[in-house]
Amino acid sequence: METWLKISSLLCIFGFLKEFRPSEPYITPYLMSPRMNFTQEQISQDIYPVSIYANMLSLIIVFLVTDLLRYKIVIIADALSGVFVYCGLILFKSLFAMQVVEVFYGLFMAGEVAYYTYIYAKVEKEHFQEVTSHTRSAYLAGRALSGVVSQIIVYFNIMSYYHLQYLSLGGLLSASVWAMMLPSVKQSVYFHQNTVTQSSVDLNEPIDATDSMCRTETRVPLSYAAQHLWSDFTAAFTNAYVVKWAVWWALSTCGYWQVLYYIQLLWQTIRKDIGDDEPPMYGIVEAAYTLIGAMASMTIGKVHLDWTVVGEPVLAVGAFGVAAVLFLMSGTRSMALAYSTYICFTVIYHTMITVANSEVAKQVNRDSYGLIFGVTTFFALLLQTGLTYVVNKVYFLPARDQFVVYASYYGILGVCFMIVTIISLLLRHRQR
């Protein structure tokens, strides 16, 4: 097996194990179960927001530490953070303990940047597309399988929500052990780079070019690394085309994460309103949206359009589509409609974010893509933090009203990109 393929396989197994968390689709019902006994208001206002704040505060630090420590140790620490999360969910019951657990969950989510950028530091550029596909597929396979497993367990009442936490803990423990077997990275983008030096040779003897040069990994001075970071940042974010797609990326991802965090609370509200006592179908919905979203992403990747021309109108239509399904979701009394609109929402998001990611990647230096990923994700989290605070700490909105706000958020996003579309059309007409 080729070296790059071996490395990709090792990382894919780690990604699969890390995403095998069958308790995830049922975390809200678990927190509301008699064992934990938290109210919906406590979960919405006092527990879930903590992980959002922690994720936002730690992301940039994690990104820089990832480059400085050369990935592997951060990947191991990320998996161990997940282990602590599920140990906490198993052992503790108090509100303060759950808030501490959410801090570690925020760190766990922030640590994903190491997983997604490790492979680019370890394999040659000609294999980037293949290994990206491999790691993405492993991530989706882990989530889909955990959704199916959890649904079977809940539907047939094989285990309680409490025992699902043990399965997730097992996945994270396995991922932690596996992470220790990942190859170390000798170089990174900013703090550890290759330098080429002339070796001592006898100039009177014939030599091979590869013998006369030696490649060493050196620690880059902090000032040089900072200059390199700033250069990559300004090169990307002074490009108007990159900024347009990055803005969509950050704004839409903010809304997407907010929906993912609070969708189970909305489903629990709908079930209570209609008196639904049947086993919830959250696991199969998780598997369905993961797989359908993956197929949508792969399909749009094969569609060849001039995104410089159709980008703004497609983004506007996508935002209006998301706003419509979220508005339907917020007012429905049908679980079937709630599930199907959620799947529609995720498919639209994954389709458009795939285009945004690829358009940004085309315009920036490949070595700096991790930086762009980190910065854009940080702004998405910054916006999500503000939105979470307003919705849950200022207005204390119930679940249905929260989703009306999220629908309005995407509606405003659609209006903004429709205005950009009109301005672009007028400018093109004037140029002609």
Side-chain angles (χ1 to χ4, degrees):
M1 183 184 292
E2 295 183 56
T3 301
W4 72 269
L5 190 56
K6 180 180 178 181
I7 295 169
S8 179
S9 300
L10 290 171
L11 193 65
C12 284
I13 293 171
F14 170 79
F16 176 85
L17 293 171
K18 185 174 74 72
E19 292 305 317
F20 183 73
R21 305 195 299 273
S23 63
E24 196 97 335
Y26 295 97
I27 191 65
T28 298
Y30 173 62
L31 291 175
M32 295 176 68
S33 68
R35 173 183 170 79
M36 303 302 286
N37 201 31
F38 292 110
T39 65
Q40 190 163 326
E41 290 72 23
Q42 285 177 309
I43 297 169
S44 175
Q45 298 167 12
D46 300 321
I47 296 177
Y48 284 172
V50 175
S51 63
I52 296 172
Y53 304 151
N55 193 354
M56 186 271 294
L57 292 172
S58 59
L59 180 67
I60 293 297
I61 297 172
V62 168
F63 172 76
L64 294 175
V65 169
T66 296
D67 196 273
L68 181 63
L69 299 180
R70 291 178 280 192
Y71 306 93
K72 181 175 176 178
I73 191 171
V74 180
I75 291 176
I76 295 171
D78 179 45
L80 291 175
S81 295
V83 169
F84 185 89
V85 168
Y86 290 98
C87 284
L89 288 169
I90 290 169
L91 297 174
F92 306 124
K93 298 180 183 180
S94 71
L95 177 60
F96 176 75
M98 289 303 102
Q99 290 174 329
V100 173
V101 164
E102 289 296 303
V103 170
F104 277 88
Y105 188 75
L107 291 170
F108 174 66
M109 298 302 292
E112 288 191 346
V113 70
Y115 170 73
Y116 286 116
T117 55
Y118 167 92
I119 200 72
Y120 301 119
K122 195 63 185 171
V123 305
E124 295 78 10
K125 288 185 179 181
E126 59 264 28
H127 301 301
F128 276 9
Q129 186 171 347
E130 292 168 281
V131 297
T132 300
S133 174
H134 294 169
T135 52
R136 180 68 178 170
S137 298
Y139 164 86
L140 293 171
R143 290 191 71 85
L145 181 62
S146 64
V148 171
V149 168
S150 64
Q151 185 62 67
I152 292 172
I153 289 172
V154 169
Y155 188 80
F156 292 103
N157 197 26
I158 298 171
M159 291 182 182
S160 66
Y161 296 141
Y162 170 69
H163 291 103
L164 285 177
Q165 312 306 319
Y166 284 97
L167 295 182
S168 296
L169 177 60
L172 268 301
L173 283 170
S174 301
S176 301
V177 174
W178 193 265
M180 297 176 188
M181 294 188 284
L182 292 172
S184 298
V185 176
K186 294 183 179 180
Q187 66 184 72
S188 62
V189 176
Y190 298 107
F191 291 99
H192 302 272
Q193 298 180 2
N194 274 336
T195 58
V196 180
T197 57
Q198 188 76 26
S199 62
S200 297
V201 296
D202 186 346
L203 297 179
N204 295 322
E205 295 180 4
I207 57 172
D208 184 270
T210 58
D211 294 330
S212 63
M213 308 294 285
C214 66
R215 191 173 293 273
T216 59
E217 291 77 25
T218 61
R219 174 76 175 271
V220 174
L222 182 61
S223 60
Y224 177 83
Q227 184 180 359
H228 192 178
L229 274 164
W230 180 248
S231 176
D232 282 347
F233 177 84
T234 54
F237 289 101
T238 53
N239 182 328
Y241 189 72
V242 170
V243 169
K244 175 182 71 177
W245 287 98
V247 166
W248 165 266
W249 180 351
L251 292 174
S252 62
T253 299
C254 162
Y256 174 75
W257 283 339
Q258 196 70 3
V259 170
L260 257 62
Y261 264 91
Y262 288 95
I263 188 63
Q264 291 182 30
L265 284 168
L266 177 64
W267 288 342
Q268 291 292 105
T269 298
I270 297 172
R271 283 168 53 82
K272 182 180 178 181
D273 290 346
I274 64 177
D276 185 1
D277 295 326
E278 294 295 318
M281 305 298 288
Y282 304 169
I284 201 66
V285 172
E286 171 101 359
Y289 95 73
T290 300
L291 295 175
I292 296 173
M295 288 188 286
S297 298
M298 288 187 287
T299 301
I300 196 66
K302 297 178 181 179
V303 174
H304 299 288
L305 295 173
D306 185 355
W307 292 105
T308 60
V309 176
V310 303
E312 291 97 342
V314 170
L315 292 177
V317 170
F320 286 134
V322 168
V325 297
L326 289 178
F327 187 75
L328 277 174
M329 195 188 299
S330 69
T332 187
R333 292 178 61 85
S334 164
M335 288 306 302
L337 184 59
Y339 293 150
S340 57
T341 50
Y342 177 65
I343 292 172
C344 287
F345 161 73
T346 58
V347 168
I348 296 171
Y349 169 79
H350 282 297
T351 301
M352 298 313 305
I353 204 66
T354 299
V355 177
N357 289 169
S358 62
E359 289 303 296
V360 169
K362 289 176 186 176
Q363 301 294 320
V364 301
N365 177 4
R366 279 185 173 183
D367 287 342
S368 67
Y369 186 74
L371 172 66
I372 308 308
F373 175 87
V375 170
T376 308
T377 303
F378 173 76
F379 280 108
L381 286 168
L382 191 63
L383 291 167
Q384 187 190 9
T385 299
L387 184 59
T388 300
Y389 184 79
V390 171
V391 167
N392 293 288
K393 290 296 185 182
V394 177
Y395 293 103
F396 305 100
L397 296 180
R400 288 188 184 275
D401 291 344
Q402 284 188 41
F403 276 76
V404 172
V405 171
Y406 305 151
S408 303
Y409 171 88
Y410 275 101
I412 294 170
L413 183 58
V415 169
C416 291
F417 274 89
M418 186 58 69
I419 292 171
V420 173
T421 299
I422 294 170
I423 293 172
S424 297
L425 289 172
L426 291 173
L427 290 174
R428 290 194 193 100
H429 180 73
R430 183 177 180 181
Q431 288 172 353
R432 292 195 188 100

